[in-house]
Every structure is written in structure tokens, then in C-alpha cells.
Amino acid sequence: MAQHGPRTRRQILRAALKRFANGGYAATSVQQIVDDAKVSKPALYYYFRDKAGLFQALVSEAHDERLQVVQQAAARGRDFRGQLVEILAALFDYFHQNRELTRIAFATAFAAPGEVPPDLLYLDRCQRNLEFIRSLIKRAQADGELGDRFDSRDLAYGFYGQAHLYIAAHLLMPDYRLNRRAAERIVDLFLTGAGAKKKRG
Amino acid sequence: MAQHGPRTRRQILRAALKRFANGGYAATSVQQIVDDAKVSKPALYYYFRDKAGLFQALVSEAHDERLQVVQQAAARGRDFRGQLVEILAALFDYFHQNRELTRIAFATAFAAPGEVPPDLLYLDRCQRNLEFIRSLIKRAQADGELGDRFDSRDLAYGFYGQAHLYIAAHLLMPDYRLNRRAAERIVDLFLTGAGAKKKRG
DNA sequence: CCATAAACCTACCGAACGGTAGGTAACAAA
DNA sequence: TTTGTTACCTACCGTTCGGTAGGTTTATGG
């Protein structure tokens, strides 16, 4: 039995993904994971240092993958609006195909500090994503594609916030479709505003 | 010792608030809470049916309070923009003064289903808040204060999404100030858009 | 054919968990 | 003075937790 090592590891990761996504970190026991993966507990501890190590392996992978998805999507966009649409559509598609990983990413981002194994990388990686968006915005402002009425930080927050509330809503209400048309609507709302008829001042 | 009942109950709730906010539900033990509150474990089980009951009492209270804050703020606004600014400023102020409750509210909203005691009221109450915002938007559209280029649902999501990302950011980075000026900036960004100079089509 | 290492296994550990049995002190009503 | 109720207490229950000690099987290199 010394040949199917990586397969066992993948089975453990897959079972852990399902359990952590549906039960959270603290409420999921190692026993449940190894039962699902049909391996023994020492098999898990052979591949991962401890429960926290298993979890971190899972989350790190998810964050890196997400950043890659965003960057590749941005590269596909011709102009600024196109970039935003591509990013949003890619994120929607990614999250649609990786619901459980998404669930974990959100849960850890908003979880209480002590709930999840302490790892400063989470915040770093979230901020790196935001900074990437912001850099796109700065460039668009420099190129004149985007006005400079608003600070690039506010704009990045605004866009990213809208995007993630939609994704969160998709988590809570799976029937709400997040496709390319939705992405275009959201980008336009962000770029041109809700459409207020001025009435004050 | 048959007179200071309510005080004990409050002490338990206060200790539970701190613990649940910093450690999450599953990772917080009943023992920690009663130690902090300087009461015995049966005292806790005298006032609350079980651990889940204690948690639900805490969260229900938080959600109701938040809805009240939003509704009162909306009543203060003269026009639509004023309503949005009041709502946002009130939310920022509330969250600033109730960081721990906020932390719990976010964590439960985004938590895995099995992490937190099952209670369908969470989703209901979140949606009720969103529906209230949407009703304001619908009215503004009917009154002509707001264009009808976008669906009221999209607008409600957009506005609420921006608001909550700021609040989430405030949780993660406490030094980022959320005051009335920030509220006005965010509302204007929502209403008039990022300011795209059209370049395509 | 044997030694070594990888890849696990069964069986179990001490600690911590949520929750409770059973008793008690303090006041209220009778 | 008794009785009942409220508001707890100490001590402990059975279960489950994360983690490990120590043995076993399988492939491989010499």
C-alpha cells in the first residue's frame, strides 16, 4: 500500500472541504473527515501536521486560485468597463463551480478571531485582491477612462463590495442567477450610478 | 439570594457576547462564559435552555435592534438622498458602538450552516432589512427622485452591499473611520456612479 | 533475500465538552 | 413556623475531542 499516497491526500482534502464548508472549522471533527474520506485518523495526521494545518492548506489554495482567476479575467478585458465585466463574470463563474470553497472563504473572512486557526495570511490575501482592483481603477483614472471625483480606495471598496454582496446572496439564495448579464448590470450601476434626479441643493 | 436574578442574567449575556464575538459559537465553551460572568454553570442553565438558546437570545436581540436603528434613521431623512445618508450614518454609528454584536451578526450571517445553531430567523431578518431598503428605493422611483433604469432589487443589493463591505472593512481594520462624511461619499457614489467617461460603443 | 522506508492500521490516551442530579440559602406567602 | 419558590451551588455524568503509541503491510533498492 505504498503507491496511492496522493490519492489518499486528495480524498482527505475533498472530505475536509465538504465538512468545513457545511459545518465550519470548530464544529467539524477530525473523525467526521476521516470517516467521509474512508481513511483512518493517523492517515490524516500522516499528511497534515494537525487539524489547523489541514484547514490552512485548503484555504490558502482557495485564495490563490481566486486571485489568479481575477488577474486572468482582467487581462481579457479590452477597456476598463470590459475589465470589470470580465472580472465579475469570472468571479461569478468561479464561485458557481466552487460553492463550498467559497463558503469557507467567506466564513473565514468574517469569522471570529478565535474560531479559525490564526493565520495572518487571510487578511493579507484579501487585501491583495482589493489592491489589485484598486490598481486597475487608478490606471483607468490616469488614462481618463474614469473620473477622479472619487478616491480610488472608495471606488475599489464600492465595486468589490457590490460584487461580494451578490456572491454572498448567491450563497444564501442559490436560485439567484449570477451570469454575465448580471455582471454587466452591476458594472453599469457602479460606473454610472443609480440615476438620481437631483432634487436638493 | 433570591433578588438579583436579572443582574445575573445580564452578566451572563455580557460575558457570552464577548466570548462568542471573539471565539465564535462552536469554539466557545459554556465553562468560559460562566467563568467570565463569575457564576456557576447551573446558573446559566437556569436562565437559558441550553448553549444554543443563549446564543439565539443574543443574536435575535441584535437583529431587532439593527432594524430599529435603520427605520428610525430613514424617518429622519427629508428626501431620498437624505434617507440614505441617515441610514448609513446611523449604521456606522451603531456598529461603532457595538463592535462585538456586529462581529457576531456578520459571523452568523456568513457562517456555515452547521456551525451555528439552526434558526431560520437569521435569514428572515436579514431579508427584512433588505426589503425595507428596497421599499425606500421603490418609493423614490415612483416619486421620480430616482431613475428606473435599474431594478429596485439590484439597487437595494448595490447600496446594501456597499454599506456592508465598509462595515466589514471596519471590523477588519478598526482605524478606517466610518463617519457621516464617509456616509455621504458612499451615498453619492451609489447615486451618481463612479463617473465613467464613455469610451466604447 | 533482506533492509529500509513509505503508507498506513487498530487501539487507545488525557482533557475538555455540554449538560444534570441533588442539595442549599434566601425570601414570600400562609 | 411551616411551606413553596426562586436562584443558585458543588460535584459529577457520559460522550467526544484532538492527537498518538506502536504495530503491519507494501513497494523498492541493494
Side-chain angles (χ1 to χ4, degrees), chain B residues 9 13 48 51-62 119 122:
Chain B
R9 197 189 130 99
L13 279 170
F48 304 96
K51 188 188 177 187
L54 167 61
F55 184 77
Q56 282 166 10
L58 217 56
V59 174
S60 295
E61 193 182 306
D119 187 344
Y122 302 152

Side-chain angles (χ1 to χ4, degrees), chain B residues 61-138:
Chain B
E61 193 182 306
H63 273 89
D64 290 349
E65 222 175 55
R66 199 174 63 167
L67 181 59
Q68 250 191 337
V69 164
V70 167
Q71 285 177 334
Q72 286 172 358
R76 280 198 301 274
R78 307 240 166 232
D79 55 2
F80 181 56
R81 179 184 177 277
Q83 280 181 331
L84 293 187
V85 170
E86 288 292 336
I87 286 173
L88 217 50
L91 278 177
F92 287 172
D93 188 54
Y94 176 76
F95 288 142
H96 200 262
Q97 289 181 321
N98 300 277
R99 280 181 59 84
E100 270 143 359
L101 220 47
T102 304
R103 171 135 250 154
I104 291 177
F106 266 82
T108 56
F110 291 100
E115 175 108 56
V116 119
D119 187 344
L120 294 175
L121 281 100
Y122 302 152
L123 202 119
D124 281 4
R125 296 187 193 220
C126 286
Q127 218 148 9
R128 205 165 42 172
N129 257 7
L130 199 79
E131 278 304 317
F132 176 71
I133 302 283
R134 189 178 176 182
S135 73
L136 293 181
I137 287 175
K138 275 180 178 164

Side-chain angles (χ1 to χ4, degrees), chain A residues 1 6 25 27 47 75 87 92 96 134 162 185 192:
Chain A
M1 253 188 229
Y25 176 77
Y47 286 104
I87 287 173
F92 287 172
H96 200 264
R134 188 177 177 181
Q162 259 173 286
R185 272 197 335 260
T192 68

